[in-house]
């Protein structure tokens, strides 16, 4: 049949027939490769982009919620400290200025009395103003901490978020509130800390679709602009976003959303559709050119046909050998197998996908190896590995360094009385209290059971270490574990030790410090618990105690 068709087409010689049929096969194979690869990459790119957007939303949502929780905790701690100091305006202002200096994100901190009058702000010990009609005052009077939506300041007409916590007097009566004021521009900085992709962006909306953070290139103030795209409406309905839609700027985009702040704020992540598929269009053009070249060189390619099979197999062998050696980042470049048969293309793509998933799994396992799964602080293995490096840095810089060993007092009684599930939640609560007390340069780990270890650089044990220990101890006393009707008071015993040039215990500086801090911890327990102690100073041996033989 092919011979008769060749004769009708005027293909009389073997050379003509071979060139024609090989050329036709190459064109058909090239078209098949082009279409199948384009569809496969389009589906993969769509799934990859959706997952990337979901990951960005998850990361942003977690960060914003934790950011709000951290500030709420700071204001709550400040309100507890002020319970017995509401009459001293100068001291209150000093506390406010200290918080603003340490945190750097507050525009102002206010003390409001029980009648809703602003008594002290961070700029002046004597202030004025009435906030009794504000929701955060009403929530504080009802005994609840509160984070407002974006509000417009009465004085400056600028957008702020107000974070409040009630103050109680000695008889547990409402005695006013502490309110931290954060300008909305800080949220924009928080959002901009997480970039993804080459053209991805995230922004915040409120439930009315108004912009809380204004995207780059958009002119206007927060709350004065409304997002009219379909994603805001779908988010209210709880429906998934369209695969492609027109955003606020009129661009065709792919997007995902997530709710934060108890479903009051909407985080939106978007990428332009053209940017997502730009690489795919380039690949299609490149493969088209390759097919045309192969058509012109069809005779020569008949002798190199096997090379299209051998090359991908060689890359796969190289890839498997590389993975076996522990390099999980190896990927087969798509242009290296673009002209191979479809089966080998899919095999290479599956190899690349498998390598990517394997690398992600290894990274997750590495994270699990250094983070305590219950408390989400570093585990014992991490601090014993990384702690010596931090100590070496301090020693080279000539700075002091200390170690705190903490143990929750009578924790076995908590387990025996309330069960191990409650005990686990108490340990989680203890870890969060501990993290709220330390600096960003300090290193915290769960050392075992109810014991925690804190490595404190640039602080001697007798000064900074003891001071930090007492602050931690007071925080535990001020914030017992609460769960519905259950309240469990917590205290900690703490041992502190600093760096010494000569080891008394172990074979390394860190082992020596941990051993002496552990001895100081047991000393604190022997002396009544709920205290911070330093290790006993070793006695120097008397020369007369030597034994002569």
């Amino acid at each position: 049949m092919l011979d008769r068709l060749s004769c009708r087409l005027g293909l009389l010689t073997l050379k003509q027939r071979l060139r024609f049929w090989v050329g036709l096969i190459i064109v058909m194979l090239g078209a098949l490769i082009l279409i199948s690869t384009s569809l496969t990459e389009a589906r993969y790119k769509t799934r990859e982009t959706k997952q990337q957007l979901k990951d960005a939303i998850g990361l942003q949502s977690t960060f914003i919620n934790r950011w709000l929780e951290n500030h709420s905790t700071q204001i709550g701690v400040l309100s507890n400290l002020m319970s017995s100091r509401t009459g001293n305006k100068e001291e209150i202002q000093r506390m406010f200025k200290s918080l603003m200096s340490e945190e750097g994100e507050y525009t102002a901190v206010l003390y409001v009395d029980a009648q809703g009058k602003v008594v002290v702000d961070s700029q002046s010990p004597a202030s004025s103003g009435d906030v009794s009609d504000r929701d955060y005052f009403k929530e504080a009077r009802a005994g609840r901490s509160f984070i407002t939506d974006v509000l417009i300041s009465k004085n400056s007409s600028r957008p702020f978020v107000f974070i409040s916590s009630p103050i109680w007097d000695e008889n547990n009566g409402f005695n006013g509130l502490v309110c931290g004021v954060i300008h909305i521009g800080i949220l924009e900085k928080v959002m901009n800390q997480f970039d993804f992709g080459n053209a991805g962006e995230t922004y915040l909306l409120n439930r009315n679709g108004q912009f809380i953070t204004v995207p780059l290139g958009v002119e206007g103030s927060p709350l004065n602009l409304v997002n009219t795209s379909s994603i805001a409406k779908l988010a209210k309905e709880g429906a998934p976003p369209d695969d492609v839609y027109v955003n606020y700027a009129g661009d065709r985009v792919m997007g995902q959303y997530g709710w934060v702040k108890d479903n009051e704020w909407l985080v939106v992540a978007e990428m332009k559709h053209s940017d997502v598929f730009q690489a795919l269009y380039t690949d299609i053009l490149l493969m088209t050119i390759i097919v045309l070249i192969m058509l012109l060189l069809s005779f020569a390619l008949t002798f190199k046909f096997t090379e299209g099979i051998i090359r991908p197999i060689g890359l796969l062998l190289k890839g498997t050998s590389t993975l076996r050696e522990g390099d999980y980042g190896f990927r087969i470049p798509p242009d290296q197998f673009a002209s191979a048969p479809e089966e080998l293309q899919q095999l290479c793509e599956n190899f690349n996908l498998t390598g990517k998933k394997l690398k992600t799994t290894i990274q997750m396992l590495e994270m699990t190896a250094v983070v305590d799964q219950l408390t989400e602080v570093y585990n014992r293995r991490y601090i014993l590995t990384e702690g010596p490096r931090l100590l070496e840095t301090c020693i080279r810089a000539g700075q002091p360094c200390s170690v705190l060993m903490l143990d929750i007092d009578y924790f076995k009684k908590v387990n025996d009385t309330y069960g191990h599930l409650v005990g686990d939640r108490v340990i989680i609560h203890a870890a969060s209290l501990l993290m709220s007390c330390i600096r960003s340069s300090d290193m915290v780990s769960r050392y075992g059971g109810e014991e925690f270890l804190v490595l404190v650089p640039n602080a001697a044990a007798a000064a900074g270490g003891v001071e930090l220990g007492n602050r931690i101890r007071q925080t535990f006393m001020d914030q017992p574990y609460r769960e519905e009707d259950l309240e469990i008071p917590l205290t900690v015993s703490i041992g502190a030790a600093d760096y010494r040039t000569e080891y008394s215990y172990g074979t390394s500086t860190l082992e020596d410090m941990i051993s002496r801090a552990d001895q100081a911890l047991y000393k604190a327990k022997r002396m009544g618990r709920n205290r911070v102690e330093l290790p006993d100073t070793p006695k120097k041996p008397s020369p007369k105690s030597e034994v002569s033989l």
Side-chain angles (χ1 to χ4, degrees):
M1 181 177 177
L2 289 177
D3 290 339
R4 272 180 276 175
L5 183 58
S6 297
C7 291
R8 290 181 181 180
L9 294 175
L11 305 175
L12 302 179
T13 65
L14 178 61
K15 184 178 181 179
Q16 291 173 333
R17 293 183 181 184
L18 183 60
R19 287 185 175 180
F20 175 80
W21 290 114
V22 170
L24 180 62
I25 291 173
I26 291 175
V27 169
M28 295 177 62
L29 180 61
L32 178 63
I33 293 173
L34 186 64
I35 295 172
S36 63
T37 304
S38 299
L39 293 176
T40 301
E41 288 192 11
R43 288 193 298 267
Y44 169 70
K45 195 64 179 179
T46 300
R47 290 195 301 267
E48 183 185 44
T49 302
K50 286 183 177 180
Q51 187 59 49
Q52 188 177 10
L53 290 167
K54 289 179 180 178
D55 292 342
I57 287 294
L59 188 62
Q60 285 278 26
S61 299
T62 300
F63 187 83
I64 290 174
N65 281 325
R66 287 186 178 178
W67 182 80
L68 291 172
E69 291 173 1
N70 288 341
H71 283 290
S72 181
T73 300
Q74 289 174 352
I75 298 300
V77 171
L78 188 57
S79 67
N80 288 333
L81 293 175
M82 287 182 55
S83 296
S84 60
R85 308 176 188 179
T86 54
N88 192 330
K89 296 181 180 180
E90 287 76 11
E91 183 177 359
I92 291 173
Q93 188 188 28
R94 286 196 297 270
M95 294 170 63
F96 289 173
K97 287 185 176 180
S98 176
L99 174 63
M100 293 180 66
S101 174
E102 292 177 2
E103 180 57 35
E105 294 186 348
Y106 291 100
T107 302
V109 183
L110 309 175
Y111 162 47
V112 180
D113 64 17
Q115 287 72 42
K117 305 295 183 181
V118 178
V119 179
V120 179
D121 66 22
S122 53
Q123 305 301 324
S124 173
S127 184
S128 62
D130 189 341
V131 298
S132 59
D133 60 334
R134 292 286 185 158
D135 289 340
Y136 59 83
F137 177 79
K138 297 175 182 178
E139 290 291 329
R141 188 168 54 189
R144 294 185 290 268
S145 298
F146 188 65
I147 303 175
T148 71
D149 206 339
V150 178
L151 301 178
I152 303 299
S153 172
K154 291 180 178 179
N155 298 327
S156 63
S157 300
R158 298 171 64 194
F160 295 96
V161 173
F162 292 76
I163 302 174
S164 65
S165 181
I167 301 174
W168 306 103
D169 59 19
E170 296 178 352
N171 298 320
N172 290 328
F174 178 63
N175 199 20
L177 62 91
V178 178
C179 180
V181 184
I182 301 177
H183 188 265
I184 203 65
I186 298 297
L187 274 177
E188 293 183 354
K189 294 181 180 179
V190 173
M191 298 289 289
N192 292 336
Q193 289 184 18
F194 295 95
D195 297 328
F196 67 98
N198 295 324
E201 67 171 356
T202 57
Y203 53 87
L204 274 177
L205 305 173
N206 63 16
R207 291 195 68 87
N208 297 324
Q210 297 170 303
F211 282 98
I212 296 177
T213 60
V214 180
L216 295 176
V218 178
E219 297 182 357
S221 301
L223 303 184
N224 292 332
L225 302 172
V226 179
N227 188 311
T228 58
S229 64
S230 61
I231 194 167
K233 180 180 178 182
L234 292 173
K236 275 190 174 183
E237 299 172 352
D242 299 328
D243 288 342
V244 180
Y245 61 90
V246 178
N247 71 349
Y248 62 88
D251 299 322
R252 297 177 73 248
V253 298
M254 299 177 65
Q256 294 290 333
Y257 67 84
W259 290 101
V260 296
K261 195 180 175 291
D262 296 327
N263 292 340
E264 293 181 11
W265 292 352
L266 182 68
V267 184
V268 179
E270 294 177 339
M271 293 184 70
K272 289 184 180 180
H273 185 267
S274 58
D275 293 327
V276 172
F277 289 95
Q278 183 62 43
L280 178 60
Y281 300 149
T282 303
D283 289 344
I284 293 175
L285 178 61
L286 177 62
M287 286 187 289
T288 302
I289 295 173
I290 291 175
V291 169
L292 292 175
I293 294 175
M294 290 176 68
L295 178 62
L296 296 175
L297 302 176
S298 58
F299 180 77
L301 290 175
T302 56
F303 297 97
K304 297 183 179 181
F305 175 75
T306 55
E307 184 179 349
I309 299 175
I310 294 174
R311 175 183 286 183
I313 293 176
L315 290 172
L316 287 169
L317 289 173
K318 179 181 178 181
T320 54
S321 299
T322 305
L323 290 179
R324 185 174 59 186
E325 294 173 359
D327 183 3
Y328 304 105
F330 179 82
R331 300 291 181 271
I332 301 176
D335 58 344
Q336 295 295 316
F337 56 85
S339 59
E342 185 176 7
E343 295 82 359
L344 287 178
Q345 287 190 56
Q346 293 179 356
L347 184 60
C348 292
E349 289 171 356
N350 290 338
F351 172 84
N352 286 343
L353 289 173
T354 302
K356 183 177 180 180
K357 292 180 179 179
L358 182 60
K359 183 177 180 179
T360 302
T361 302
I362 294 297
Q363 290 174 343
M364 292 178 63
L365 290 174
E366 290 176 348
M367 178 62 70
T368 304
V370 300
V371 174
D372 179 64
Q373 296 301 298
L374 178 64
T375 61
E376 296 185 357
V377 301
Y378 291 127
N379 59 19
R380 178 172 181 169
R381 174 184 178 184
Y382 181 83
I383 202 166
L384 292 179
T385 302
E386 298 298 325
R389 300 178 185 177
L390 182 58
L391 282 174
E392 184 178 353
T393 301
C394 290
I395 294 171
R396 288 180 178 178
Q399 297 175 347
C401 189
S402 58
V403 163
L404 300 182
M405 180 74 79
L406 298 84
D407 184 86
I408 302 174
D409 293 332
Y410 304 110
F411 182 74
K412 183 177 183 302
K413 184 177 179 181
V414 174
N415 280 336
D416 294 342
T417 305
Y418 305 104
H420 288 278
L421 293 179
V422 173
D424 287 346
R425 292 195 287 271
V426 169
I427 290 178
I428 294 173
H429 175 69
S432 67
L433 294 180
L434 185 57
M435 291 299 295
S436 70
C437 296
I438 65 169
R439 305 168 300 177
S440 59
S441 59
D442 299 337
M443 185 181 295
V444 176
S445 75
R446 185 183 178 195
Y447 201 67
E450 66 273 19
E451 286 187 334
F452 293 88
L453 188 69
V454 184
L455 187 57
V456 189
N458 197 19
V466 172
E467 180 182 352
L468 174 59
N470 281 316
R471 186 163 67 249
I472 293 170
R473 186 179 61 81
Q474 188 64 44
T475 299
F476 273 74
M477 294 175 62
D478 292 340
Q479 300 184 53
Y481 174 76
R482 294 186 177 90
E483 177 183 327
E484 296 179 353
D485 297 332
L486 175 63
E487 178 175 315
I488 303 176
L490 296 177
T491 61
V492 289
S493 298
I494 303 175
D498 53 7
Y499 159 72
R500 290 181 180 175
T501 56
E502 297 181 358
Y503 305 156
S504 300
Y505 306 94
T507 59
S508 68
T509 302
L510 183 59
E511 288 181 2
D512 177 65
M513 294 174 69
I514 292 175
S515 296
R516 289 186 288 108
D518 193 47
Q519 289 186 2
L521 169 63
Y522 280 98
K523 176 182 176 182
K525 290 184 177 182
R526 290 194 308 269
M527 298 182 68
R529 304 178 188 264
N530 189 20
R531 58 195 299 128
V532 182
E533 291 293 337
L534 297 171
D536 295 329
T537 303
K539 297 181 179 179
K540 295 183 179 180
S542 173
K544 296 181 179 181
S545 62
E546 296 180 358
V547 179
S548 58
L549 298 178

